[in-house]
Amino acid sequence: MGRAVEVLRPAEKILVFTGAGISTESGIPDFRGPDGLWTKVDPDDFHIDRFRASSELRVRGWRMHLDGELWGARSKVRPNPGHHAIKRLADAGRLAGVVTQNVDGLHHRTGLADSLVAELHGNVRDSHCLDCDRTWPTEEILAWVEAGNQDPKCPSCGGMLKTRTIMFGELLPEEELRKAMFFLAVADALLVVGSTVAVWPASDVVYRAAHRSLPIVIVNRGETEADLLAAAKIDAGIGEVLPDLVEAIIGPAPS
Ligand SMILES: [Zn+2]
């Protein structure tokens, strides 16, 4: 912890890069872990070509959101102390931004402004038409599904509807990439939280930070692909260390 504080305390603006590890502490299953989603479903079902080809997959997808799946749009999961610690960094004026691989929207639910969060893999809050890109809150589409339209189409153009989560075979959202590059440009340090930095192209943000010689601190249980790039590494649960780490970075809380 001491070394991590030493590295991050002098940084005016810190870029935080988060992965599934921060959301698992809210109860959301990860993808790659031993109990991860990929052990239960076929990753090929998460390819955009198969989604386009299969009405059954689309029906099943909306159904899973309706059923309140933990990662879905109606999930009742809440941000945990790790998410709140990052919000605290923002309140102290020390956050360059959050670049996240998570689609659960838990950073937003701490009250963090959308302009401070780049969701590289999209999110479940919003859905859009794959043809004309018209956008709705996912909740609105779920209401159509509940009313009996199991595979609803775009009312404007008849195109397929899909949540704004990125499937295999899709490009990362341009606007989110732009935000990520902006955060990177203004950051003096990088804090990696709950990510093994194994998924490209999201991991590119970490390598770009290293290329810019930004000091890197990693908080993650277990090894990551970026361990050799880190000035400090804390191998522990995020909720256990992040609140204390942030307090030490920004100084004592006002009493
Ligand atoms: Zn459309």
Side-chain angles (χ1 to χ4, degrees):
M1 172 81 87
R3 176 74 185 130
V5 175
E6 230 173 82
V7 171
L8 294 176
R9 203 174 167 116
E12 221 170 286
K13 296 280 183 191
I14 298 168
L15 168 59
V16 180
F17 181 83
T18 66
I22 191 169
S23 294
T24 52
E25 294 187 14
S26 281
I28 297 178
D30 63 3
F31 290 91
R32 290 156 185 275
D35 283 321
L37 193 60
W38 294 149
T39 65
K40 300 182 179 81
V41 300
D42 180 359
D44 287 347
D45 281 349
F46 288 79
H47 195 286
I48 185 67
D49 292 343
R50 200 178 276 198
F51 180 88
R52 281 181 183 275
S54 167
S55 168
E56 189 202 320
L57 271 188
R58 298 192 295 273
V59 168
R60 203 204 299 170
W62 297 121
R63 175 55 50 194
M64 287 199 281
H65 286 288
L66 278 185
D67 289 346
E69 283 287 340
L70 288 172
W71 47 265
R74 281 194 177 172
S75 175
K76 295 279 187 281
V77 291
R78 300 170 60 85
N80 62 57
H83 295 101
H84 289 296
I86 294 168
K87 172 66 162 53
R88 177 112 176 83
L89 209 50
D91 293 342
R94 301 286 294 282
L95 183 73
V98 178
V99 176
T100 187
Q101 300 164 275
N102 302 332
V103 299
D104 49 49
L106 288 178
H107 289 297
H108 288 79
R109 288 197 213 173
T110 64
L112 208 52
D114 184 59
S115 60
L116 281 175
V117 187
E119 295 175 308
L120 290 188
H121 294 167
N123 69 75
V124 292
R125 290 184 306 280
D126 299 319
S127 293
H128 69 134
C129 169
L130 291 179
D131 290 332
C132 74
D133 203 36
R134 192 176 157 191
T135 300
W136 298 263
T138 299
E139 201 42 59
E140 215 168 298
I141 297 188
L142 291 180
W144 304 343
V145 178
E146 269 180 326
N149 190 351
Q150 292 200 313
D151 181 16
K153 298 290 186 300
C154 172
S156 306
C157 78
M160 282 175 201
L161 304 181
K162 181 181 154 301
T163 58
R164 274 211 186 272
T165 49
I166 299 304
M167 285 185 151
F168 296 118
E170 284 190 291
L171 294 174
L172 301 195
E174 231 172 86
E175 176 61 27
E176 303 306 304
L177 275 174
R178 222 186 330 261
K179 276 195 252 178
M181 289 307 120
F182 175 75
F183 300 158
L184 193 57
V186 300
D188 308 298
L190 171 67
L191 172 60
V192 175
V193 177
S195 170
T196 56
V197 196
V199 178
W200 189 87
S203 59
D204 199 39
V205 171
V206 175
Y207 294 110
R208 281 172 188 257
H211 190 70
R212 272 198 55 207
S213 303
L214 297 188
I216 297 175
V217 170
I218 298 177
V219 179
N220 189 65
R221 213 187 267 290
E223 277 179 26
T224 84
E225 302 278 323
D227 283 356
L228 288 175
L229 301 172
K233 162 93 188 276
I234 303 176
D235 195 322
I238 294 153
E240 286 165 33
V241 297
L242 208 56
D244 289 343
L245 177 60
V246 166
E247 290 311 319
I249 292 166
I250 65 183
S255 51

